[in-house]
Amino acid sequence: MTSAGRVVLKAVAYPLLLGGLLLALQRQDSLADIPEVGRKLAEVERLRPETVFVGSSHTYRHVDAALFDSLRGGGSSYNFGLPGAGAFEVHYWAERFLDRPYVKTLVVEVQSFRAGLDPENRRTRRVYYHRDFRRARVGVRVALASNLPWQRRLWTALDQIGVTLDHYLLLGQGGDVIAGLLRSLAPADGLLEKLDRQGFLALDTQLALLARADPAGSAAERAEVAETIAWLWGRHEYLLGPEGQEIVTENVRMLRQRDRVRPTPQDRTAAALWLDLYRQAEAQGVEVYFVEQVAEGKSMGISRLLGEAVAPGRLIILNDPNRYPNLLAPEFWYDTVHLNARGARWNTSVLAAHIPRPPDS
């Protein structure tokens, strides 16, 4: 082959090879090094539950899916609560589960949407994987409805679009992608699978199980378990201290005045987005229940708007100490924002009483 032919071949082959590599990496870009999300999604696909709970750690730590099924006399449910999940991530998964033919009921944790992104979290796989073009449009609506100065609103809206473009073009994700490939090939340790039941794990239960865990394993694994135990115990000790008690008291005082809350423009935008999901689910034959979980203080205005728009019974407000005084009971709490196993049982029993089994289950 002449040197001119080799130049032409390289000019054609290299872009094709690079494009193929990027496409291959993009295929695994969603879940590879976010093991908790990937593990839970695999469990959902295996169990094919008719009811799925979607939310943050307030859902994960507060809803015992196995108990929920038992209290309703059968059925199948799964807790897809993800620690640290914000409204964009919850919204993303709620829409994804609408397309699962076995899902008949979605129980969605109500959250407020944040206009901006934390600089330290902006370029992380946890943010990238759910930032599709649908979430970009949601982010633009939230940014433009915020109370930021007008210039900041525009900049924040553009940043929401930028994160989505980064997601699809893999910009700045080289190290994360390589780490994801390596982790996807590594064997799972199976620890989480042994601890939770249908996606649920109370903090005090996790502490007790880890404390009794088999000490076998590498020094690094033992150190990680010890660090987790110290973290879990520290959160509980903080609750019992004066600062933790002051936080709980202030939160309860604020929640007792929830009837005085007036929705803000941001609340109206968030409520409109959740209502979009509600109508989309209705069109697809999926029943949606919205839940204001215990310890979530920023969604009271959103809940008021949703309560005026959805069908009776489709909004469940657990976060009301006037109606559920057990919210005040210290024996039901593990830390300043999470219930313990006893509190989760109470929380789950309320949900089971409000959410009927699907007719054909």
Side-chain angles (χ1 to χ4, degrees), residues 243-255:
E243 290 185 19
Q245 289 299 302
E246 184 178 349
I247 289 173
V248 172
T249 300
E250 176 59 25
N251 284 343
V252 171
R253 185 196 65 79
M254 176 185 65
L255 293 171

Side-chain angles (χ1 to χ4, degrees), residues 2 34 40 61 66 80 111 115 130 170 203 215 242 264 293 319:
T2 65
I34 312 174
K40 286 202 160 193
R61 303 295 188 178
F80 203 82
Q111 288 191 17
H130 64 269
L170 295 178
L203 283 164
T264 65
Q293 282 285 0
N319 205 23

Side-chain angles (χ1 to χ4, degrees), residues 25 27-39 89 123-129 172-186:
L25 292 176
R27 284 179 175 274
Q28 64 83 48
D29 184 50
S30 59
L31 301 173
D33 73 342
I34 312 174
E36 178 67 0
V37 179
R39 182 186 69 81
E89 196 169 358
R123 301 181 73 90
T124 62
R125 294 284 291 280
R126 181 66 183 267
V127 169
Y128 280 133
Y129 88 86
Q173 299 182 58
D176 284 337
V177 167
I178 293 171
L181 282 171
L182 294 176
R183 289 176 187 159
S184 66
L185 297 174

Side-chain angles (χ1 to χ4, degrees), residues 106-271:
L106 269 182
V107 186
V108 181
E109 180 183 321
V110 177
Q111 288 191 17
S112 57
F113 291 83
R114 292 189 59 183
L117 293 162
D118 295 329
E120 64 271 20
N121 293 328
R122 184 187 182 280
R123 301 181 73 90
T124 62
R125 294 284 291 280
R126 181 66 183 267
V127 169
Y128 280 133
Y129 88 86
H130 64 269
R131 290 287 171 152
D132 55 11
F133 285 117
R134 166 73 168 136
R135 255 41 62 181
R137 294 194 297 272
V138 170
V140 168
R141 287 177 63 179
V142 171
L144 295 180
S146 69
N147 58 0
L148 297 171
W150 183 247
Q151 298 87 339
R152 288 276 308 280
R153 293 188 206 179
L154 287 177
W155 181 255
T156 303
L158 290 173
D159 193 38
Q160 297 282 356
I161 298 172
V163 172
T164 298
L165 292 177
D166 286 355
H167 162 72
Y168 282 103
L169 299 176
L170 295 178
L171 297 178
Q173 299 182 58
D176 284 337
V177 167
I178 293 171
L181 282 171
L182 294 176
R183 289 176 187 159
S184 66
L185 297 174
D189 60 14
L191 180 62
L192 286 171
E193 290 88 334
K194 295 175 184 176
L195 293 180
D196 71 14
R197 294 195 311 165
Q198 293 175 225
F200 162 73
L201 183 62
L203 283 164
D204 47 337
T205 303
Q206 182 177 356
L207 177 63
L209 291 170
L210 286 174
R212 297 198 303 267
D214 187 347
S218 67
E221 290 171 337
R222 292 196 299 273
E224 184 177 356
V225 170
E227 183 180 354
T228 303
I229 291 174
W231 175 77
L232 289 167
W233 182 246
R235 293 184 69 98
H236 185 61
E237 285 189 313
Y238 183 75
L239 166 71
L240 302 177
E243 290 185 19
Q245 289 299 302
E246 184 178 349
I247 289 173
V248 172
T249 300
E250 176 59 25
N251 284 343
V252 171
R253 185 196 65 79
M254 176 185 65
L255 293 171
R256 282 195 181 282
Q257 302 175 8
R258 61 180 303 123
D259 291 340
R260 303 179 188 178
V261 171
R262 295 292 177 265
T264 65
Q266 296 96 303
D267 291 338
R268 296 186 185 281
T269 299

